[in-house]
């Protein structure tokens, strides 16, 4: 039996409808996939990944962090002596300020080095700073031992004289980072170090009668 024109038209209509349904389903699947693919990058971008934490840095940034960490550690160590040895309340206040500012900065710079795949400088045992004695402003092991033996006004004077030199070294290192570094947060920290420590140098020189 030959199909009539009406039945032929019905079959064509059914086929077209089925094709449209398949096409819509396919588009729906692709659309869902594209949204999924779109969501994935935005999710990774919002989370602190390696690329975000590493950032654009160079050798100067690495050198700054590796040098400033032990430099800060010594300043914090010197400041810690003031609590039981200083006689001046102003010296004690200054020492506390140094500890509160530089201890968190050590953690920040250590985090940078870890993110960059670099080794964080090891802490020296006791007052042994011989490995970093060539760094600008760093006190020798002998200097640190001598400071530890002082107390009262003698400690106040020695502490401030040593810390002025120490701060000057930090300012020099921070200046090099500002000129040669590439990592934004490191350059910002360097700027903060310069401003804060220059202000403390002025203050200590006044207390020493040199301002």
């Amino acid at each position: 039996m030959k199909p009539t024109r009406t039945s032929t038209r019905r079959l064509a209509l059914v086929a077209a409808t089925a094709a449209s349904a398949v096409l819509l389903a396919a588009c729906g699947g692709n659309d869902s996939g594209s949204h999924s693919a779109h969501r994935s990058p935005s999710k990774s971008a919002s989370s602190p990944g390696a690329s975000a934490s590493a950032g654009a840095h160079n050798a100067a940034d690495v050198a700054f962090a590796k040098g400033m960490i032990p430099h800060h550690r010594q300043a914090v160590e010197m400041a810690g002596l003031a609590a039981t040895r200083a006689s001046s309340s102003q010296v004690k206040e200054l020492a506390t300020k140094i500890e509160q500012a530089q201890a968190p900065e050590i953690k920040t710079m250590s985090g940078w080095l870890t993110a960059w795949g670099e080794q964080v400088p090891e802490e020296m045992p006791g007052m042994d700073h011989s490995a970093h004695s060539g760094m600008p402003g760093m006190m020798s092991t002998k200097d640190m031992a001598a400071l530890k033996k002082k107390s009262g006004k003698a400690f106040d004077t020695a502490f401030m004289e040593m810390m002025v030199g120490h701060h000057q070294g930090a300012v020099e290192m921070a200046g090099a980072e500002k000129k040669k570094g590439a990592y934004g947060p490191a350059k910002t920290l360097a700027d903060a170090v310069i401003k804060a420590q220059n202000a403390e140098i002025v203050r200590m020189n006044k207390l020493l009668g040199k301002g």
Side-chain angles (χ1 to χ4, degrees), residues 11 13 25-26 50 61 67 72 116 127 138 186 201:
L11 287 171
L13 182 61
D61 298 314
H72 270 22
W116 297 338
M127 297 223 166
M138 282 290 282
I201 288 170

Side-chain angles (χ1 to χ4, degrees), residues 55-139:
H57 66 282
N58 60 16
D61 298 314
V62 174
F64 171 69
K66 285 192 172 185
M68 196 61 80
I69 287 172
H71 205 275
H72 270 22
R73 282 175 180 159
Q74 188 177 67
V76 169
E77 187 177 354
M78 291 167 66
L81 298 174
T84 56
R85 291 170 175 79
S87 62
S88 168
S89 60
Q90 290 177 302
V91 169
K92 289 182 179 181
E93 179 190 344
L94 179 65
T96 299
K97 185 178 177 182
I98 290 170
E99 279 188 281
Q100 291 175 343
Q102 297 194 27
E105 290 174 353
I106 292 170
K107 288 186 178 181
T108 296
M109 291 183 286
S110 296
W112 293 343
L113 291 175
T114 300
W116 297 338
E118 300 284 346
Q119 186 174 358
V120 177
E122 294 182 8
E123 290 195 51
M124 304 302 293
M127 297 223 166
D128 181 14
H129 296 279
S130 55
H132 308 291
S133 59
M135 200 178 297
M138 282 290 282
M139 300 297 122

